[in-house]
Structure formats: structure tokens, C-alpha cells
Amino acid sequence: MSSIENPIGICKHIPNLISSFVDTFVDYSFSGIFLPQDTNPHNEIPQTRFDKPERLVAIGDLHGDLEKSKEAFRIAGLIDSSDRWTGGSTVVVQVGDVLDRGGEEIKILYFLERLKREAEKSGGKILTMNGNHEIMNVEGDFRYVTKKGLEEFQVWADWYCLGNKMKNLCLGIDKAKDIYEGIPMSFPRARADCFDGIRTRIAALRPEGPIAKRFLARNQTVAVVGDSVFVHGGLLAEHIEYGLEKINEEVTGWINGLCGGRYAPAYCRGGNSVVWLRKFSDEMAHKCDCSALEHALSTIPGVKRMIMGHTIQDAGINGVCDNKAIRIDVGMSKGCSDGLPEVLEIRKDSGVRIVTSNPLYKENPNSQIGLGLLVPAEHVPKSVEVKA
């Protein structure tokens, strides 16, 4: 029997179409972005290991500054003036800490999500990672949240709840869950004018919360791309022995609300955890534990270097321990040190260089800006090598 003769065959898809329309309406109303179709299944465990690409770009902490985030992508030639993907088959790794210290956190998440889908269509890939600030926010630790950050979450929640009300009017769509269920109305150690924003942030980011589940659960916590291992804070041999794939699987399960309750797994908490470690990122090179670094790297076959964010490098992107540790957090967000955006580029055919927005290197229009070698951070201005 044809679908014309059997209208039920058509009508059974209407609730899904309406739900999809409402989601698109909410996304665009809040972010101004139409997200391309997502071909990746939800609740998928993030992939941990990737082949070495022709071109790899690493971007440090973004902390709620959308404009600086776009500038970082733009100086690497990854987006055009309309913020559309132009990176072709480039693989990008953003090492976490999108959240906190700024007021456009969710907008950055939408921006990255759209670029992920555009990159996939061009043969490229964007990997986004969980930093300590993603973990803190899922746990409900909002020490570094800004007033504008709370306000942005409230605006998002207004649109999201409106979308749920629209869906609840349609027969055939499951009743939307109240995102505020179980969240108190007030908080003893917070100002009264922040209560609504805090409630909204908890609702959005707690395990199984809509923002946490949609964006953060799909992040890697550790990733191996070719001969580089990426992590927000750092990896010790004990983390690698525990299992990199296991870490990604368990963190994703926790954020999705499948296990672990409020708090993250132990290897994401404390000073020696994968998102908090600073043994390899102290700006004073002699304070970096090169022995522990070399031991950790030796336990990951084929890996030459560890690339991390987390600790602001006032001297810009740099390497220590014979460039086996590369630190890429330049504090670019206005909520941090308002540093000039820089990104790390690794090409299969020409090695490692730094791409910077520093105007000192824009005076010669015939110069290709970058570092042939990484310069260790010390208490001196960073020297650079400009390639003609």
C-alpha cells in the first residue's frame, strides 16, 4: 500500500519533523546559527587516536571570548570573513576551557559545533577537549563564572524552555523534562540577584543537562593525533597505564549522567589530574618535570610530544624539555590576560611553527610568520624566527 493510500505512513513522521523544526528554531533564535545536519550518533564514545594529518592546528584556552576565538581560527586560515570553514582537510584540536571568565560561552560552543560539521564535509576535523573549567562546571563549581556568563545562560534557557513548551503542545512528542527539577531556589553563599542565573547554569551543565550532554559529553579528555598527545593539563604515566580510551569513555559516561553522580572521576580532580596538572607548564622551564614527561611519553608508542593548555604563557606558545612539552594557552580571552591569539601548526612535510596575530610580524607583507623552532619560556622576551 502506498503512503498516499496509507496516511499513517506519512503522519507518523510529523512529530519528529516538528521536534527537529523547534530545535532549529531555538538554536537560531539564541545563537544566530543554523547548524548543518549532524551525521555523528549521539552518546557515542569519543575517538581517542587519530592518524597524523597533513596539517594539524592546536588552539589554546578560549574562556568565553567569542571574538578572540574567531580570531584564532582566522589567523590559521581556518575560517573566512563570514566565519565559514576554509581549512579543508586540516585537523584542529582545541584543548578545552571554553567555559568561565567570559560572557559568550554557549555561543562559542555553537560556533565550534557548526565548524565541526562544516569541516567534516571538507574532509577536515575539529576535536574539542574538556578542560578543568568544563569539569568544574559540570560538578557545579562556578567560582570563575562572570555576571555576563550567568546572563547568557538565562537567555539560552528562556529559548530552550519555550521550545519545550512548543513540543509539549504536539501529540506524539514525549513530554519534555523540567530542566530545573531538583534544583533549589536559593543558594546560601551567593547573592540573591545571582540565584536565577546559578539555577539555570546548574540545569544546563549538570550531568545529563542539555548543554553538557549536547556539547561537552562529545569532547575528548585526551587525544592522540599522529605523534602528538593532547590533554588540557598533563598526563602522567599512571594516567596512561589506566587507559586513555577508558578515560574518554568514563568522562563521557559521567557527563551523560550514566555513572558517577555529581563528581568527575578521580583522574579529573586534584593537582595531579589530567585537567589540573602543571608539572610541565610552569613558565620557569627549570621547574618542569622533564623526567616525568619523558616517562609518560615513552609509554605511548609513536608519540614525540605532549601539547597542553591550562597555564597561561605570557611569553606566548613555547616548548620545554627539548620541545617534548608544548604549552599553548596564551591567555587570549579578555577575561584572562587579553593576550594576542596564537596557534600551533604541525605540518607533515615541514614540522612545527607558531602562527601569531602579533602586529610586529605584520609589517613585512612578504613574510610568512611563524617559528621554525619553539623557544623555551624564560624571563626574557620571546625571540622568533621569521621565515621568508
Side-chain angles (χ1 to χ4, degrees):
M1 182 181 291
S2 71
S3 59
I4 296 175
E5 296 169 322
N6 179 20
I8 295 175
I10 298 175
C11 294
K12 70 179 182 179
H13 297 296
I14 288 178
N16 288 336
L17 290 172
I18 292 174
S19 181
S20 179
F21 170 80
V22 170
D23 289 340
T24 301
F25 165 75
V26 169
D27 285 344
Y28 185 78
S29 298
F30 169 74
S31 68
I33 288 176
F34 283 114
L35 290 176
Q37 183 178 3
D38 186 5
T39 57
N40 296 314
H42 288 270
N43 296 326
E44 185 181 49
I45 298 169
Q47 183 178 339
T48 300
R49 299 172 195 266
F50 302 83
D51 293 335
K52 187 173 185 176
E54 292 295 325
R55 183 182 187 232
L56 172 63
V57 172
I59 299 176
D61 304 28
L62 302 177
H63 280 306
D65 192 328
L66 179 60
E67 197 48 51
K68 285 288 191 73
S69 301
K70 290 179 178 180
E71 190 176 344
F73 275 82
R74 202 167 284 127
I75 64 173
L78 298 170
I79 59 174
D80 61 19
S81 58
S82 299
D83 303 330
R84 296 291 176 182
W85 176 258
T86 56
S89 61
T90 302
V91 173
V92 178
V93 182
Q94 195 282 315
V95 296
D97 276 11
V98 166
L99 299 182
D100 287 340
R101 303 188 189 278
E104 297 171 302
E105 301 155 280
I106 308 178
K107 283 189 171 66
I108 295 176
L109 293 175
Y110 270 96
F111 167 70
L112 293 173
E113 185 63 28
R114 192 197 71 206
L115 287 184
K116 282 183 183 182
R117 302 185 193 184
E118 291 178 0
E120 290 278 356
K121 290 182 178 180
S122 300
K125 186 175 289 292
I126 297 178
L127 308 179
T128 52
M129 304 191 71
N130 289 311
N132 60 308
H133 285 265
E134 280 72 45
I135 299 300
M136 290 167 69
N137 274 269
V138 177
E139 291 183 332
D141 184 342
F142 301 151
R143 280 177 287 170
Y144 300 96
V145 173
T146 66
K147 186 172 185 291
K148 287 186 176 179
L150 292 178
E151 290 169 354
E152 187 197 33
F153 271 78
Q154 287 179 268
V155 172
W156 165 83
D158 289 343
W159 285 110
Y160 185 82
C161 292
L162 175 62
N164 282 349
K165 288 177 182 177
M166 294 167 69
K167 290 179 185 180
N168 287 343
L169 295 174
C170 178
L171 295 175
I173 298 180
D174 293 338
K175 276 279 187 185
K177 181 181 176 182
D178 177 11
I179 64 170
Y180 295 103
E181 183 179 333
I183 300 175
M185 298 297 294
S186 62
F187 305 90
R189 288 181 286 180
R191 297 202 321 256
D193 62 334
C194 294
F195 288 172
D196 289 344
I198 293 171
R199 293 188 76 237
T200 299
R201 200 169 179 101
I202 293 171
L205 289 170
R206 62 182 171 178
E208 205 179 3
I211 293 293
K213 192 169 184 177
R214 184 177 187 184
F215 297 109
L216 307 187
R218 306 175 84 170
N219 288 352
Q220 278 81 6
T221 301
V222 60
V224 177
V225 184
D227 54 8
S228 302
V229 60
F230 291 85
V231 63
H232 183 71
L235 287 172
L236 300 174
E238 63 198 59
H239 302 135
I240 299 160
E241 183 180 352
Y242 185 80
L244 304 184
E245 284 82 2
K246 193 174 180 182
I247 288 173
N248 279 337
E249 180 178 357
E250 291 177 352
V251 173
T252 289
W254 168 64
I255 295 174
N256 276 325
L258 302 177
C259 57
R262 173 182 171 181
Y263 294 106
Y267 47 75
C268 284
R269 311 187 78 230
N272 283 333
S273 71
V274 298
V275 295
W276 282 98
L277 191 72
R278 298 188 195 269
K279 283 181 181 289
F280 317 131
S281 56
D282 194 297
E283 281 205 290
M284 296 294 290
H286 70 272
K287 292 185 178 180
C288 295
D289 192 340
C290 295
S291 176
L293 173 69
E294 290 175 8
H295 182 36
L297 291 176
S298 70
T299 62
I300 312 175
V303 168
K304 296 178 180 178
R305 65 182 72 87
M306 189 179 298
I307 300 173
M308 66 209 69
H310 187 44
T311 304
I312 294 174
Q313 307 295 312
D314 290 328
I317 293 175
N318 64 82
V320 294
C321 304
D322 295 325
N323 294 328
K324 291 176 182 175
I326 303 179
R327 298 90 66 82
I328 65 170
D329 178 11
V330 295
M332 71 177 82
S333 169
K334 288 184 286 292
C336 294
S337 55
D338 198 17
L340 292 169
E342 291 186 349
V343 303
L344 184 76
E345 179 188 73
I346 303 174
R347 286 187 178 268
K348 216 172 189 180
D349 58 354
S350 58
V352 179
R353 72 175 189 135
I354 295 167
V355 183
T356 179
S357 62
N358 192 323
L360 289 174
Y361 310 118
K362 294 182 179 179
E363 295 174 1
N364 183 354
N366 297 315
S367 293
Q368 179 186 21
I369 308 307
L371 295 184
L373 296 173
L374 294 171
V375 182
E378 301 289 0
H379 286 306
V380 295
K382 183 179 65 174
S383 60
V384 300
E385 174 185 321
V386 180
K387 291 185 176 180

